[in-house]
Amino acid sequence: MKTLVSVLAILSGIGAALADEAEFQFRVTSFFIPEREATVREAFESIHESLEVVDLDFETAVATLRFDPAVVVERAGDNEENQRALLSQMLRGSTRGVVDVLPISAVPNEQIEEVVIPVAGLDCIGCSYAAYEAVRRVEGVEYAIASFRDGRVLARFDREKTSEEQLLAELMKKRIPLNYQIDEPNLVPRNELSVVRVSSEELRAQGDAVHAIDGDPQTKWETRWQGGDVAQPPHEIVIDLGKSRQLTGFRYLARQLGSVGAFAKTEFFISESADEFGDEPAAAATFIDVKKSQTVDCDQPVTGRYVLIRMLTEIEGRPNGTAAEFGFIERKPD
Amino acid sequence: MLVIAAVCALSSARADIASFLKTHCFECHDSDVQKGGVDLASQLPFDASDPNLFAKWVRIHDKIESGEMPPPKKPRPLAAARETTLEELHDKLIAAESAQFETAGVRTRLRRLTKREYENTIRDLLHLDGIDVAGFLPDDDEAHGFNTNADALSISHVNIAKYLEAAEHALHYAIATHPEKPTVQTQRVSMASGVRHVFLHGDAVLLRDKKPDHVFPPAGAHMHIGEGEHQKMGLSTSGASMGLFRDEDESFHPYFDDFISVYPGRYKLKLSLWSFQWDKGEVLPSRGTEAARLSIVTKTGDGRGGGHPSRLLAYFDAPSLESQIHETEVWLNIRETFGYNTATLTKPHQTRGPLRAMGVSAPGIALDWLEIEGPFYESWPPPSHTALFGELPLVQFDPNANPDVRQPAQMKFRKSWSPGQNQRDPVEGIWTTASKNPVEDARQLLADFLPKAFRRPVSAELVEQYLGIVEGRLGAGDCFENAMREVYKTALCAPDFLFHVEPADKLNNFALANRLVYFLWNSKPDETLTKLAESGKIREPETLRAEVERLLEHARAERFVEDFPGQWLKLRDIAATDPDRKLYGEFDLFLQNSMVAETRAFFREMLTRDLDATHLIDSDFAMLNERLAKHYGISDVTGSTIRPVRLEPESPRGGVLTQGSVLKITANGTTTSPVPRGAFVMERLVGVPPDPPPPNVPAVEPDIRGLTTIREQLAKHREDPACAGCHEKMDPPGFALESFDVIGGFRENYRVLTEDGRRVEGPHVDASGQLADGREFSNVVELQQLLAGEREQLQRNLARQLAVYATGRELSFGDRDRIEQIVAKAEKSGGGLRSLIHELVQSQLFQTR
């Protein structure tokens, strides 16, 4: 892997002291928000007084350094990889393993995939670093940034080595809440929705039913599980659409942290009455364990003011039911 | 072993005793009736060689003398007959006892150093002020209330093995193994790394300029993620202060893991603290003075796990939003750091909610930083080294130049797993003490060391015996340091070191000096005392008096203040029970530590002001801090420092009797019972110990449902005549102390738990009672007045407790007169604690083995 991009050996005119200096480029770790630039720069400069940071590019996390290997990484000899390894060792040693230099990516551009994952959390440098590290350490990830202020983790990875699902799994393993939304045209406005009734809700754990329609993916409706009396499926919730509407489909957003209670087999009914929904669902689906919004489209548009959602099974067969959000797609006049 | 040789057949004089017993006692205590299981009519030989028989005769004497027998309702004996009988009995008992001691030659049997005496002796001998060697040794037993008693100080192969380990450890600490004094390092550490796991959940917040830190903001609807990642981003090095909302619990014992001691020695400690009121993200002025506790934590194993043993260092006040800097000095052993606790804050988990710190309104304590500077050595090599090697030089050991010499067996320092940033100074090579003339140097070193270690002059022959060990080791190829290590280890495990070596009968000068200094310093004589013993001036009463004063004024007298009440009043049992959390949610470690501090401070005050023993029952002052004052319902006391506080006349506090420590120690954590409390008061404070309970009689257990009061249960218990005799004496003080719950809080009603676990008020407390002599009291204040009126008995008891502790033996029948003399002499100076100590030390009782 070539790390030496240009050897600017100045053979004349400037002086012997600069004769062996050269510019080197490396991928640098822990540069996950622009505000880290000063700290990363300082880490490099603390290695040796003669080492110069020519450039730190946040968009690529590439550091361009100028130094004389015979001075800065003398013990590494002439081998470029040994020089990088020694520089890496020195940097990690002085920064508790935070700042490191890696070889420039050799993965062809067409093999690189970029993904942006919405996340929710504290606008805290430690938390952002935790999210960054969860993704950055996955083999095949060539570049990553993370910021809870911006609410996103961005990664570029070698699609032959890893996948978006793998990155999501790593974030969830770290207990980082994702923050997907139901965000589509023709969504019935949330401020026109209300909960008519619910089979159970866990108020002691902030699992109020209203959280299923509040537009905040970080809150959720949870069926009752505390107090030794766990509510058993089917679980039901009836939602008032505010007026009679013609719907073309339904949306379900699972809880964004953890997976207990995620819906599997689910039926959607619609009616003009909150008490009578008949036996035939307007739509039915078996959801899977993903955090993105899941779609259930009706074969034909259906009409009514009230929607009954009935969860029949949970993804692992547990009795619990949870929903971060429900969405209702209204048919608009052409 | 106590051997009683004299068998005293009843002479004609016994006829008076026999006649008295027949006339006044046999009606109830003959072979047929045997009231209370006592039979005086069948053969009761006056055989002093049998301790049980001797004790029975002493008991008969005491019952008659106190007037308890014959009982008041029976015909009274003629005064003359009573006096004659008592005189006869007294003389007989004294004669029998004297004969017994003449045979045995000593009253105090050979006894070894207690664990604490051993540790203090090592510390003072080797100038290692805080070395922990007691931790190596098994716990001492207790006899007659104290572990200094020869009956309790057993020794076995286990002790010997542990003494060897302890001696090796002490020598490793003492002997210098590097040429220069270790560099004094100053390290400022944050609490952030120690509490980062609770910071993640919002039980702690990072503060900067008295406001929430914006780089690491308070946890809110979202918690922080990733302990390690926060640490790497500089959580504990950002310079911000750590504000904490919660007290410690079983799973939360924060400590500063950025520091771990790598050298034993003295360190200076500074910390900057302030208090605040947290209100959902805002920092407001605090509710008052808060306090944080620092403890010294010993890292064990690889240092990663919890459960490290710790010992209290001190409490420090955080009075307001303004940072307050505290300074102190401390000795640290290797692998130690500091534990931290916000002593005055809420119980754990009260700050948790869906919005974590951003949803909380709670008091908090902020620590800006803790600064540790050290180690400090007054000279190099340190005094511990010169105590063993004098002025011999430290040189580099060259294995190549000494191929046949075994190199020094020095302790290899291994830095355990720990993020501690401080490091040992690099040392090139092996450094050791050199001698050009090893045998002669060893002779001189031993001639200097052995008398100090053995606390008396040592003969040249004994020095030569020890020198033989050195020569043997040198001959076997050991270097000089190894050979000396071996001989010092031998000396520190020798009976001459481990035992109090005292001559029979009258103590010689050195034994007297030792008895005095182990009494008041718990350790060996210093140079001044040794010189007084050498010159014989120690025998002069005025010199002895001056020495008592000097010893009591020295910082080492705190060992006496810690050890004597610690044993006498069982303060070391303070943590033996954990109060029921549902019943006594207000209890915490700060309160418990304050209780012990109160009793020690009170004892120290008695010593300083020379207060008499009635102050054990009642006093017009108490030694309190804010925590205790609040617990006792006393206002206007601020901060964690214990200080004298004047009490209102009607206050039930004052004296040791109603101190939280005593009241907690005599309760079981859930309920109180008048029986153990009454027994404690009668035995320890009044000095009239109840007889042990008869076999096969179950204890009276309080009804925790609150349906029956303990008084009702005991009334039923006393219907049994076999129980009534003792309980009439023992229970009354306990009844009065029913006014105090298991943690020493005053109560008018019992606390009880309902079936569903709720705490409610139970039956009203009846604290009235009647002493065995018929005097009545209606509450604890009246009991205090009655007991405090028993001045002579209280003085006698205090003198007796001091004597048992100081001499290492139970007092005999004949010692009663000696105690009376000590008390009488002390009364001439007011009869205070200090006067009692002076007269005890001057007494024959103290100066005789």
Side-chain angles (χ1 to χ4, degrees):
Chain A
M1 206 174 289
K2 186 140 180 78
T3 58
L4 183 60
V5 292
S6 62
V7 180
L8 303 173
I10 301 168
L11 299 174
S12 62
I14 297 179
L18 301 175
D20 296 322
E21 279 193 348
E23 280 192 5
F24 300 86
Q25 283 194 331
F26 305 100
R27 280 189 298 143
V28 59
T29 65
S30 84
F31 197 11
F32 55 92
I33 49 175
E35 292 85 344
R36 288 279 299 164
E37 179 173 346
T39 307
V40 174
R41 186 176 287 273
E42 199 178 297
F44 280 118
E45 288 169 353
S46 70
I47 294 298
H48 196 277
E49 58 187 5
S50 67
L51 188 152
E52 182 192 348
V53 180
V54 177
D55 185 47
L56 276 175
D57 182 12
F58 180 69
E59 296 302 323
T60 57
V62 169
T64 304
L65 311 176
R66 186 198 305 276
F67 60 90
D68 179 353
V71 173
V72 176
V73 284
E74 183 189 1
R75 282 189 291 123
D78 294 334
N79 182 289
E80 288 177 19
E81 177 50 22
N82 287 350
Q83 291 171 0
R84 183 204 64 80
L86 183 55
L87 189 62
S88 159
Q89 184 186 334
M90 294 158 77
L91 276 169
R92 284 185 285 117
S94 65
T95 62
R96 292 189 175 196
V98 173
V99 182
D100 196 2
V101 283
L102 304 172
I104 293 293
S105 174
V107 182
N109 278 343
E110 60 274 18
Q111 206 169 301
I112 293 284
E113 185 174 330
E114 181 175 294
V115 61
V116 176
I117 302 168
V119 290
L122 284 165
D123 178 14
C124 160
I125 193 169
C127 295
S128 296
Y129 180 56
Y132 162 78
E133 279 288 277
V135 171
R136 199 272 300 173
R137 287 181 173 277
V138 175
E139 189 186 356
V141 171
E142 298 292 314
Y143 171 80
I145 54 172
S147 166
F148 284 104
R149 183 182 300 166
D150 300 337
R152 65 172 195 156
V153 171
L154 183 151
R156 293 180 202 130
F157 58 88
D158 180 347
R159 67 164 64 91
E160 290 189 0
K161 290 188 174 169
T162 189
S163 64
E164 182 180 0
E165 287 69 32
Q166 179 63 32
L167 303 187
L168 288 170
E170 291 300 324
L171 289 169
M172 284 188 276
K173 202 189 292 178
K174 195 72 185 171
R175 307 280 305 159
I176 293 167
L178 303 181
N179 202 30
Y180 288 104
Q181 314 265 347
I182 301 174
D183 187 16
E184 294 185 39
N186 300 338
L187 202 59
V188 175
R190 297 185 193 287
N191 59 3
E192 294 178 24
L193 303 177
S194 62
V195 174
V196 177
R197 67 171 188 271
V198 67
S199 56
S200 74
E201 56 188 337
E202 186 49 77
L203 299 175
R204 285 166 293 188
Q206 294 79 48
D208 311 32
V210 71
H211 289 156
I213 52 169
D214 66 358
D216 182 355
Q218 298 306 309
T219 62
K220 58 186 179 296
W221 164 46
E222 289 182 75
T223 56
R224 189 181 63 247
W225 56 270
Q226 290 197 36
D229 180 20
V230 180
Q232 300 296 317
H235 302 299
E236 294 184 352
I237 185 170
V238 175
I239 291 165
D240 182 354
L241 302 177
K243 64 181 182 185
S244 182
R245 298 174 192 269
Q246 195 172 34
L247 302 182
T248 59
F250 305 92
R251 301 290 179 266
Y252 168 64
L253 188 71
R255 62 188 294 176
Q256 296 292 290
L257 180 63
S259 60
V260 173
F263 286 19
K265 271 190 185 172
T266 307
E267 295 173 338
F268 294 84
F269 298 82
I270 189 162
S271 168
E272 295 294 351
S273 161
D275 302 319
E276 291 291 334
F277 287 93
D279 298 329
E280 278 301 309
T286 300
F287 296 121
I288 57 174
D289 186 15
V290 297
K291 300 302 179 190
K292 290 179 178 173
S293 170
Q294 297 183 69
T295 298
V296 190
D297 287 329
C298 304
D299 294 337
Q300 297 292 327
V302 290
T303 304
R305 175 171 175 169
Y306 299 97
V307 174
L308 164 67
I309 303 165
R310 179 180 291 151
M311 184 205 106
L312 299 169
T313 61
E314 193 252 11
I315 51 161
E316 297 274 341
R318 290 169 289 215
N320 313 62
T322 58
E325 288 298 311
F326 293 115
F328 308 94
I329 308 302
E330 192 171 10
R331 185 182 183 196
K332 295 288 182 185
D334 294 333
Chain B
M1 187 65 200
L2 197 77
V3 178
I4 301 172
V7 177
C8 308
L10 285 177
S11 66
S12 59
R14 167 110 194 258
D16 289 334
I17 301 172
S19 164
F20 186 93
L21 294 180
K22 190 176 177 184
T23 307
H24 297 290
C25 307
F26 282 9
E27 184 186 341
C28 300
H29 299 297
D30 67 357
S31 305
D32 293 334
V33 182
Q34 293 193 31
K35 192 171 181 184
V38 179
D39 172 12
L40 301 178
S42 60
Q43 197 174 19
L44 187 62
F46 201 93
D47 183 357
S49 66
D50 182 336
N52 288 331
L53 282 178
F54 189 85
K56 279 184 181 172
W57 280 109
V58 170
R59 198 168 162 219
I60 290 167
H61 173 276
D62 292 349
K63 296 278 181 190
I64 298 170
E65 187 186 41
S66 67
E68 188 183 336
M69 290 292 163
K73 58 189 174 188
K74 296 291 178 185
R76 309 309 301 159
L78 292 172
R82 180 175 172 277
E83 292 307 314
T84 309
T85 303
L86 281 173
E87 208 172 298
E88 289 291 341
L89 254 178
H90 176 269
D91 292 349
K92 281 281 174 199
L93 290 166
I94 293 288
E97 196 178 86
S98 298
Q100 161 204 332
F101 289 133
E102 268 178 32
T103 307
V106 294
R107 287 176 166 80
T108 303
R109 293 188 294 137
L110 183 64
R111 61 192 173 113
R112 62 169 169 80
L113 302 180
T114 67
K115 197 161 100 164
R116 281 171 195 265
E117 287 173 342
Y118 175 89
E119 180 170 82
N120 288 329
T121 307
I122 290 281
R123 286 177 175 181
D124 296 345
L125 176 69
L126 297 177
H127 309 279
L128 297 168
D129 293 354
I131 186 174
D132 173 19
V133 281
F136 286 85
L137 307 180
D139 284 337
D140 298 320
D141 291 331
E142 179 192 299
H144 310 296
F146 297 99
N147 66 15
T148 53
N149 197 291
D151 295 344
L153 294 166
S154 58
I155 193 160
S156 72
H157 65 282
V158 175
N159 295 73
I160 299 298
K162 295 297 179 184
Y163 283 133
L164 278 167
E165 281 180 36
E168 275 179 8
H169 179 74
L171 292 170
H172 277 310
Y173 268 37
I175 296 172
T177 56
H178 35 104
E180 303 289 338
K181 192 187 289 194
T183 308
V184 174
Q185 298 179 46
T186 303
Q187 195 179 343
R188 195 171 266 205
V189 293
S190 158
M191 189 67 251
S193 61
V195 301
R196 59 180 184 256
H197 55 304
V198 302
F199 165 79
L200 301 186
H201 298 280
D203 284 345
V205 290
L206 215 60
L207 302 165
R208 192 182 295 277
D209 301 325
K210 316 285 181 186
K211 289 177 187 164
D213 183 67
H214 68 276
V215 179
F216 297 97
H222 293 284
M223 59 178 278
H224 288 273
I225 299 155
E227 263 187 64
E229 288 84 354
H230 281 74
Q231 192 67 4
K232 287 184 173 183
M233 284 295 106
L235 180 72
S236 63
T237 55
S238 70
S241 313
M242 179 53 79
L244 194 57
F245 304 130
R246 61 176 280 190
D247 192 8
E248 67 181 4
D249 67 358
E250 293 82 354
S251 62
F252 179 55
H253 298 282
Y255 51 81
F256 296 88
D257 55 8
D258 289 335
F259 170 84
I260 184 166
S261 54
V262 292
Y263 291 107
R266 293 226 143 262
Y267 289 78
K268 282 183 188 165
L269 200 63
K270 269 195 206 175
L271 65 158
S272 178
L273 280 173
W274 49 283
S275 56
F276 62 101
Q277 180 70 28
W278 177 260
D279 186 22
K280 298 174 182 169
E282 271 196 84
V283 175
L284 303 175
S286 62
R287 60 181 176 177
T289 297
E290 308 285 358
R293 187 188 80 230
L294 280 192
S295 53
I296 297 173
V297 175
T298 306
K299 296 289 220 52
T300 55
D302 64 3
R304 262 178 286 194
H308 307 293
S310 68
R311 57 189 191 276
L312 173 67
L313 176 60
Y315 286 88
F316 299 95
D317 286 347
S320 68
L321 277 177
E322 194 176 329
S323 294
Q324 177 138 342
I325 294 175
H326 301 270
E327 289 187 50
T328 190
E329 269 198 22
V330 63
W331 170 283
L332 292 179
N333 294 301
I334 293 176
R335 292 158 70 101
E336 288 185 334
T337 185
F338 298 97
Y340 178 76
N341 170 240
T342 50
T344 49
L345 298 190
T346 57
K347 299 289 173 231
H349 306 304
Q350 292 186 2
T351 51
R352 299 283 177 84
L355 291 176
R356 298 180 177 82
M358 293 306 285
V360 167
S361 291
I365 300 177
L367 178 78
D368 295 325
W369 41 260
L370 173 78
E371 189 178 280
I372 306 130
E373 187 182 6
F376 291 100
Y377 295 95
E378 56 195 77
S379 55
W380 197 261
S384 61
H385 182 91
T386 52
L388 299 169
F389 290 102
E391 300 302 320
L392 291 176
L394 267 168
V395 299
Q396 193 160 10
F397 181 83
D398 184 355
N400 297 325
N402 302 281
D404 300 328
V405 177
R406 208 168 290 126
Q407 68 183 45
Q410 298 172 349
M411 180 172 64
K412 298 282 182 289
F413 176 79
R414 290 186 184 83
K415 192 166 183 293
S416 61
W417 184 96
S418 161
Q421 301 299 303
N422 45 323
Q423 302 286 336
R424 277 171 83 93
D425 293 335
V427 176
E428 289 291 325
I430 300 167
W431 289 76
T432 188
T433 305
S435 169
K436 291 178 180 168
N437 195 350
V439 174
E440 188 48 41
D441 283 338
R443 180 179 283 116
Q444 285 184 17
L445 292 173
L446 287 169
D448 180 60
F449 178 81
L450 292 178
K452 289 175 184 163
F454 298 165
R455 291 94 69 188
R456 62 182 182 283
V458 168
S459 68
E461 290 74 21
L462 190 62
V463 173
E464 289 304 313
Q465 281 179 28
Y466 277 91
L467 187 61
I469 294 170
V470 179
E471 290 176 311
R473 297 309 309 177
L474 290 172
D478 267 341
C479 66
F480 182 67
E481 181 186 318
N482 282 0
M484 292 307 293
R485 276 178 187 266
E486 198 63 24
V487 74
Y488 286 135
K489 189 168 74 178
T490 307
L492 294 178
C493 296
D496 282 318
F497 178 78
L498 297 175
F499 284 81
H500 292 284
V501 179
E502 296 173 328
D505 202 14
K506 189 177 177 184
L507 299 181
N508 62 27
N509 296 346
F510 286 91
L512 176 59
N514 275 284
R515 186 170 275 194
L516 175 63
V517 76
Y518 276 95
F519 175 30
L520 299 181
W521 279 5
N522 227 251
S523 183
K524 64 182 282 294
D526 64 354
E527 204 177 328
T528 305
L529 196 52
T530 303
K531 282 181 178 166
L532 290 173
E534 283 169 353
S535 66
K537 286 188 176 175
I538 189 77
R539 291 240 158 261
E540 296 170 359
E542 281 315 306
T543 306
L544 201 48
R545 196 169 291 278
E547 272 306 280
V548 168
E549 283 298 315
R550 184 179 72 86
L551 297 185
L552 285 177
E553 289 306 308
H554 196 282
R556 286 179 189 167
E558 284 309 309
R559 296 169 179 171
F560 170 61
V561 172
E562 192 276 326
D563 196 49
F564 174 68
Q567 296 193 56
W568 168 37
L569 301 174
K570 296 191 172 185
L571 295 181
R572 290 173 186 171
D573 294 347
I574 190 74
T577 57
D578 286 328
D580 186 305
R581 288 184 188 181
K582 286 183 180 168
L583 282 170
Y584 300 100
E586 72 267 42
F587 180 79
D588 55 31
L589 191 58
F590 185 27
L591 179 60
Q592 180 169 285
N593 286 335
S594 299
M595 288 174 176
V596 175
E598 176 195 17
T599 305
R600 283 189 192 145
F602 190 85
F603 185 78
R604 163 54 80 187
E605 192 76 356
M606 283 183 68
L607 194 59
T608 305
R609 291 168 56 192
D610 198 18
L611 301 176
D612 68 29
T614 62
H615 289 80
L616 298 173
I617 302 299
D618 197 8
S619 62
D620 60 2
F621 72 96
M623 303 299 290
L624 305 178
N625 61 9
E626 184 175 351
R627 182 72 185 87
L628 269 176
K630 187 178 162 198
H631 186 54
Y632 292 171
I634 295 168
S635 53
D636 298 330
V637 179
T638 306
S640 60
T641 306
I642 299 275
R643 87 295 304 265
V645 175
R646 185 146 299 278
L647 298 173
E648 297 297 328
E650 63 276 13
S651 171
R653 303 293 174 176
V656 169
L657 181 71
T658 56
Q659 287 180 4
S661 61
V662 164
L663 296 163
K664 180 176 186 296
I665 287 160
T666 52
N668 70 7
T670 305
T671 56
T672 59
S673 167
V675 181
R677 279 186 169 170
F680 181 92
V681 171
M682 296 310 290
E683 181 187 347
R684 306 268 164 163
L685 298 181
V686 180
V688 185
D691 293 331
N696 305 321
V697 175
V700 180
E701 296 293 346
D703 178 2
I704 57 172
R705 299 162 303 164
L707 301 179
T708 319
T709 66
I710 187 72
R711 178 183 289 270
E712 290 163 352
Q713 289 177 275
L714 283 170
K716 197 172 179 188
H717 188 66
R718 282 208 299 269
E719 287 172 7
D720 183 346
C723 305
C726 284
H727 281 277
E728 278 171 2
K729 285 182 278 183
M730 187 164 57
D731 295 352
F735 283 141
L737 295 180
E738 282 294 284
S739 287
F740 301 98
D741 60 29
V742 303
I743 57 170
F746 189 82
R747 64 184 173 191
E748 291 184 344
N749 289 77
Y750 293 94
R751 287 182 189 178
V752 291
L753 291 177
T754 59
E755 284 186 358
D756 60 353
R758 283 178 303 111
R759 192 182 88 187
V760 294
E761 278 200 351
H764 186 72
V765 173
D766 178 358
S768 66
Q770 186 180 43
L771 294 177
D773 60 12
R775 289 180 295 165
E776 293 183 345
F777 57 86
S778 60
N779 55 39
V780 68
V781 175
E782 289 181 15
L783 174 82
Q784 284 175 301
Q785 290 165 356
L786 294 179
L787 289 183
E790 303 286 336
R791 188 172 189 282
E792 277 184 28
Q793 177 56 34
L794 295 168
Q795 290 285 89
R796 200 178 290 133
N797 174 59
L798 182 53
R800 186 184 155 276
Q801 300 285 357
L802 288 165
V804 172
Y805 175 77
T807 61
R809 67 176 171 88
E810 171 63 327
L811 299 192
S812 66
F813 185 78
D815 287 328
R816 293 178 177 191
D817 293 343
R818 300 184 186 101
I819 290 292
E820 294 296 333
Q821 289 164 16
I822 290 167
V823 171
K825 286 184 179 174
E827 289 297 346
K828 291 174 186 167
S829 314
L833 174 59
R834 209 176 186 92
S835 301
L836 283 172
I837 290 171
H838 274 296
E839 295 308 328
L840 171 64
V841 170
Q842 298 281 349
S843 72
Q844 186 199 1
L845 173 62
F846 185 84
Q847 298 189 16
T848 309
R849 184 178 170 200

